[in-house]
């Protein structure tokens, strides 16, 4: 065993000077390599020696001391402004976490329970811990009240926005999602499409309905000739609205639904009535809800809400710095996912 190895400190307790000694460089060079200091020219060979020494010694830099020197803590606060951590919040958190780790940041996660007073308190506590930036997220796209203290650091909103768009927000492109879902049905040959919408006052409902009508108009169809029934985004709503369609007479060849839960309810109503999906009627959902859309029978064609992509984008922009502080909305594509609940119509559309 070499003399170096005899006197090497125990893993986990090594100091920067130990790394420098093993790599044959100065402690300053070790700092330049580990901190990726701009303007410092370090050869690839020197960088490899330093990183090899770090690995051999199990060296872990003192993040608190680094933060004091650099004026940053390498942390991003993720504020979930909902009553609980749902499936979609988990996807946004996962995307933000992955991007943060790639940039050497950690995500600090809090939940407000949907309370504005709790949001103010938790944002204050994150700032007390020297959090460098904030992601403020909601599960249902809507206008929110963001604590004024959030303006002390770069802040990006995910799936929500503030009046006047004074803060940057990352939102799903719901109008395009509604348009492309409708276009997918049109491309299959459907010309008689009913839409069972979500809550009429919802920002998402309005945007998706706009996209639905744009696609119909683009195909030379009059949107006024297509049935639109308002629902509430719950399965019982989809069930009752599908029963309404059944009572009214000849069914359309395709049914668009406000979300996957409504589509599930509609499928139950159609099944009870002996209507086959997609042989008799195609059904399109929205959300691509985890452990629902792909696992029911028939597997549901739907539109995927890009929560993971939105969380990832927010964390990337905060890591990059400049663009994070610019107000305005960034829309993220919601791709159509075609599965077994949609097919070409087996009968001509009603006249």
């Amino acid at each position: 065993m070499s003399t170096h190895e005899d006197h090497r400190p125990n893993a986990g307790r090594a100091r920067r000077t130990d790394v420098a000694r093993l790599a044959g460089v100065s402690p300053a060079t070790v700092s330049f390599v580990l901190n990726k200091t701009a303007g410092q020219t370090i050869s690839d060979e020197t960088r490899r020696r330093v990183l090899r020494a770090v690995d051999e010694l199990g060296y872990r830099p003192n993040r608190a001391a680094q933060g004091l020197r650099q004026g940053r803590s390498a942390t991003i606060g993720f504020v979930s402004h909902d009553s609980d951590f749902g499936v979609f919040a988990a996807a946004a958190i996962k995307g933000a976490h992955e991007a943060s780790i790639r940039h050497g940041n950690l995500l600090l996660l809090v939940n407000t329970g949907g309370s504005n007073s709790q949001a103010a308190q938790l944002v204050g506590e994150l700032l007390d811990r020297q959090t460098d930036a904030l992601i403020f997220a909601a599960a249902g796209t809507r206008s929110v009240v963001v604590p004024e203290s959030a303006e002390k650091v770069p802040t990006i909103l995910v799936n929500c926005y503030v009046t006047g768009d004074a803060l940057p927000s990352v939102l799903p492109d719901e109008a395009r999602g509604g348009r492309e879902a409708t276009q997918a049905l049109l491309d299959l040959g459907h010309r008689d499409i009913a839409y069972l919408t979500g809550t009429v006052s919802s920002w998402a409902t309005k945007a998706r309905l706009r996209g639905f009508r744009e696609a119909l108009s683009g195909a030379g169809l009059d949107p006024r000739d297509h049935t639109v029934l308002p629902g509430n985004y719950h399965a019982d709503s989809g069930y009752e609205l599908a029963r309404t369609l059944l009572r009214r007479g000849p069914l359309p060849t395709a049914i668009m639904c406000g979300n996957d839960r409504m589509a599930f309810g509609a499928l139950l109503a159609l099944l009870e009535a002996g209507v086959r999906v997609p042989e008799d009627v195609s059904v399109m959902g929205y959300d691509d809800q985890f452990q629902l859309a792909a696992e029911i029978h028939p597997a549901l064609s739907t539109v995927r809400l890009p929560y993971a992509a939105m969380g990832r984008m927010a964390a990337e922009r905060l890591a990059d710095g400049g663009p994070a502080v610019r107000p305005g909305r960034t829309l993220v594509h919601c791709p159509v996912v075609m599965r077994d609940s949609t097919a070409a119509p087996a009968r001509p559309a009603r006249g």
Side-chain angles (χ1 to χ4, degrees):
M1 187 174 291
S2 71
T3 303
H4 266 309
E5 293 173 329
D6 287 339
H7 293 89
R8 196 171 300 167
N10 293 332
R13 294 193 299 174
R15 296 170 300 178
R16 186 178 52 167
T17 52
D18 299 318
V19 174
R21 187 178 303 110
L22 182 59
V25 299
S26 69
T29 298
V30 174
S31 294
F32 294 151
V33 171
L34 296 182
N35 295 329
K36 301 178 182 178
T37 305
Q40 298 297 326
T41 302
I42 306 293
S43 71
D44 290 341
E45 172 57 28
T46 298
R47 193 179 308 277
R48 282 193 293 269
R49 289 207 315 272
V50 170
L51 295 177
R52 188 162 52 244
V54 166
D55 185 59
E56 288 184 25
L57 295 172
Y59 172 71
R60 294 179 62 85
N62 186 325
R63 294 296 185 191
Q66 281 187 340
L68 289 173
R69 289 194 301 271
Q70 299 170 4
R72 64 187 304 272
S73 62
T75 59
I76 295 174
F78 191 108
V79 182
S80 176
H81 193 46
D82 282 291
S83 57
D84 56 27
F85 289 122
V87 171
F88 298 122
I93 292 165
K94 182 175 185 293
H97 167 75
E98 291 171 348
S100 297
I101 290 298
R102 280 199 305 274
H103 288 277
N105 296 320
L106 285 179
L107 210 61
L108 298 182
L109 182 62
V110 297
N111 182 270
T112 70
S115 164
N116 289 336
S117 60
Q118 183 79 342
Q121 178 183 340
L122 291 172
V123 166
E125 292 185 5
L126 287 171
L127 296 176
D128 288 344
R129 287 164 173 76
Q130 304 301 311
T131 299
D132 297 324
L134 295 172
I135 296 173
F136 197 94
T141 313
R142 63 185 188 274
S143 173
V144 294
V145 177
V146 178
E148 290 184 8
S149 57
E151 298 178 8
K152 295 178 180 178
V153 295
T155 297
I156 293 184
L157 311 185
V158 169
N159 203 46
C160 54
Y161 55 92
V162 294
T163 302
D165 293 325
L167 289 172
S169 57
V170 180
L171 303 167
D173 194 344
E174 301 282 20
R176 181 179 175 185
R179 185 168 58 249
E180 291 186 355
T182 309
Q183 188 62 51
L185 294 173
L186 292 168
D187 290 345
L188 287 172
H190 294 281
R191 292 298 180 270
D192 187 1
I193 306 170
Y195 190 7
L196 313 182
T197 78
T199 308
V200 293
S201 61
S202 163
W203 180 86
T205 296
K206 294 175 183 177
R208 294 171 191 177
L209 183 57
R210 184 168 68 252
F212 171 73
R213 289 170 172 159
E214 288 172 353
L216 293 175
S217 296
L221 302 173
D222 188 342
R224 293 173 295 184
D225 294 337
H226 297 259
T227 300
V228 176
L229 299 176
N232 63 11
Y233 285 128
H234 295 290
D236 60 345
S237 171
Y239 178 85
E240 292 300 333
L241 293 178
R243 285 171 59 87
T244 298
L245 290 177
L246 287 162
R247 288 193 299 269
R248 287 187 174 185
L251 284 171
T253 63
I255 300 174
M256 287 261 294
C257 295
N259 66 357
D260 293 344
R261 286 181 292 179
M262 288 185 67
F264 179 68
L267 287 171
L268 288 178
L270 295 170
L271 177 64
E272 287 180 0
V275 177
R276 299 171 302 167
V277 176
E279 292 85 355
D280 300 323
V281 177
S282 287
V283 174
M284 175 75 72
Y286 206 108
D287 286 354
D288 198 23
Q289 187 166 342
F290 179 67
Q291 292 184 335
L292 175 62
E295 296 186 11
I296 61 176
H297 182 75
L300 188 63
S301 293
T302 187
V303 180
R304 179 172 297 150
L305 280 174
Y307 278 95
M310 291 191 295
R312 189 178 307 114
M313 179 181 292
E316 291 281 357
R317 288 178 63 184
L318 290 171
D320 290 342
V325 297
R326 297 174 188 167
R329 300 184 182 186
T330 300
L331 300 180
V332 181
H333 182 221
C334 306
V336 176
V337 181
M338 299 299 284
R339 296 193 179 100
D340 300 334
S341 67
T342 50
R347 56 186 169 83
R350 67 189 184 210

